[in-house]
Amino acid sequence: MAKASVNIESLSKQLVQDAENAVFKPVYLLMGDEPYYPELICDAIIANCVDESFKDFNEYIFYGSDTDAETVISAARQYPMMSDRTLVVVKEAQLMKDIDKLSLYCEAPLDSTVLVVLLHKATVDKRKSFYKSVQKIGVVVDAPAIRDYEISSWITKYFASKGLDIEPAAAALMGESAGTELGTIVVETDKLLKNLPEGVKHIKVEDVERNVGISRQFSIFELTRELSYRNAAKAVKIAGYLGSSAKFAMPMATSALFTHFYRLLRYGALLQKGGRPSAEEKAGALPGVPPFLYREYDEAVKNYPPSRCMAVISLLNEYDFKGKGGDSSDVEAGSLLTELVVKILNV
């Protein structure tokens, strides 16, 4: 199942529902750059495949660093005791040195065994026999990493699934803080929900700031805003604060800034064509940007036309390299962001 041809969210929902209804495939290959959906499916299978009373006899959990194909196949060929099924799970299977040999089991799987092979932020070689054999008899889930511009909309949908409505600005703030790993976003959401007053259904920026422990004043979200308006004093102040944080990572900062200025570059190129862009054209040039932020981009594009955006993107590439240790200067990692912001403001 190719990434492009499958809606991973819908597939995962269906597989979880199947597990809850005791409907299982003989083999599951759960992998991809985004671990949230593969782990969600694996947890659902473990929870529902074998009755709790018989897990000691019929459930085998292996880890890729401590097992091999022969051991896994031997367990998978065991018949269940006092149960309908045997469950065999291999977690962190990307660490198995002979994972492709599991194709031998796929040639003649037992009807009473459910084999789950879970990789963490990795994929198997799709040219080899194991992947091809699972495609024939089981199910493959290959979850791509979510793009940064999709985070806000994913958060909005996730909150909706919980019966909650979240403001676009609050979703954007949570996305800026939690990053692009869905598992982290889910943890932060659960933390928020536990601390909300009973009956609250509409989530505001203040709720995210208060309950998740982040501040819009000192986030990349706010830094990009001040850069958009070329508010030099505020931008430098925020950069200094972010750089001094114990959790600061320069590559994450340059990635967020790159997304912002790449959007500006696309928007500026659209405006250079002349005429007033349609709503569809604007949305296409600014993917993932909620409409309430369009005014900011209208101002930012005046301050950073395409030629300036290209110069900024060049700076971002340079400082991303420095932030990853590719520089011999004595500038501390935390000071790099301030240095970068000053140079952006002087482009």
Side-chain angles (χ1 to χ4, degrees):
M1 297 180 181
K3 294 182 184 181
S5 64
V6 172
N7 183 315
I8 295 298
E9 184 175 358
S10 297
L11 175 60
S12 300
K13 184 178 180 180
Q14 182 61 56
L15 292 174
V16 168
Q17 184 177 331
D18 286 347
E20 292 171 348
N21 293 327
V23 176
F24 300 100
K25 299 291 186 180
V27 183
Y28 295 81
L29 174 56
L30 310 177
M31 61 184 192
D33 296 324
E34 171 50 63
Y36 174 70
Y37 290 115
E39 290 176 1
L40 189 70
I41 297 165
C42 183
D43 289 344
I45 295 171
I46 291 174
N48 294 281
C49 189
V50 177
D51 187 274
E52 193 69 35
S53 304
F54 304 117
K55 283 183 179 289
D56 288 345
F57 305 104
N58 301 293
E59 183 176 282
Y60 302 84
I61 307 292
F62 300 106
Y63 288 85
S65 59
D66 302 322
T67 193
D68 55 32
E70 183 179 354
T71 302
V72 174
I73 292 172
S74 177
R77 287 180 173 160
Q78 298 292 319
Y79 287 97
M81 296 177 59
M82 299 177 291
S83 175
D84 293 332
R85 287 175 292 273
T86 299
L87 174 63
V88 180
V89 179
V90 186
K91 295 186 175 184
E92 299 186 3
Q94 74 279 0
L95 300 177
M96 284 184 67
K97 296 179 179 179
D98 57 353
I99 189 171
D100 197 55
K101 290 183 180 179
L102 293 178
S103 61
L104 298 174
Y105 172 76
C106 296
E107 293 175 1
L110 290 187
D111 292 338
S112 57
T113 293
V114 176
L115 172 62
V116 180
V117 181
L118 174 66
L119 286 73
H120 183 74
K121 292 186 177 181
T123 59
V124 299
D125 190 333
K126 297 177 183 178
R127 299 167 298 179
K128 293 190 175 181
S129 55
F130 178 51
Y131 175 83
K132 294 177 179 178
S133 60
V134 177
Q135 277 192 311
K136 292 177 181 178
I137 68 164
V139 61
V140 176
V141 175
D142 187 1
I146 190 168
R147 299 176 179 87
D148 53 1
Y149 61 79
E150 298 173 323
I151 289 296
S152 291
S153 60
W154 192 91
I155 292 172
T156 299
K157 287 195 296 182
Y158 184 72
F159 271 73
S161 73
K162 301 287 185 180
L164 300 169
D165 172 53
I166 184 169
E167 290 181 348
L173 177 59
M174 178 169 277
E176 291 287 352
S177 172
T180 59
E181 286 201 8
L182 302 186
T184 302
I185 294 171
V186 170
V187 169
E188 293 297 334
T189 299
D190 290 343
K191 184 193 303 183
L192 172 63
L193 298 184
K194 289 177 182 177
N195 292 306
L196 282 177
E198 187 175 350
V200 171
K201 297 294 182 182
H202 182 69
I203 312 301
K204 301 179 181 179
V205 167
E206 293 77 15
D207 296 315
V208 175
E209 291 179 327
R210 182 171 55 253
N211 294 300
V212 180
I214 55 178
S215 173
R216 176 174 50 179
Q217 183 180 1
F218 297 117
S219 70
I220 290 291
F221 180 71
E222 187 68 13
L223 176 59
T224 56
R225 182 178 184 279
E226 300 304 336
L227 285 172
S228 291
Y229 290 101
R230 295 188 79 87
N231 291 332
K234 287 186 177 180
V236 172
K237 178 182 178 181
I238 294 171
Y241 178 88
L242 292 174
S244 64
S245 170
K247 295 182 178 180
F248 175 72
M250 190 65 181
M252 290 184 66
T254 53
S255 175
L257 290 169
F258 175 84
T259 297
H260 181 68
F261 281 97
Y262 181 65
R263 287 169 175 164
L264 273 180
L265 179 62
R266 288 167 58 106
Y267 189 38
L270 173 64
L271 295 180
Q272 282 187 340
K273 294 180 180 179
R276 187 187 181 107
S278 66
E280 292 77 13
E281 289 175 325
K282 202 166 189 176
L286 298 172
V289 177
F292 79 94
L293 285 179
Y294 284 171
R295 182 177 297 179
E296 174 189 330
Y297 279 83
D298 286 334
E299 289 299 315
V301 79
K302 299 175 186 175
N303 292 321
Y304 302 94
S307 58
R308 279 187 175 178
C309 277
M310 291 298 293
V312 171
I313 288 172
S314 177
L315 280 172
L316 291 172
N317 286 329
E318 176 187 343
Y319 277 79
D320 182 64
F321 177 72
K322 290 181 177 181
K324 292 174 180 175
D327 181 53
S328 58
S329 69
D330 295 328
V331 180
E332 294 183 4
S335 300
L336 281 176
L337 183 60
T338 300
E339 185 178 289
L340 170 62
V341 165
V342 170
K343 288 188 177 183
I344 290 174
L345 290 165
N346 284 284
V347 165

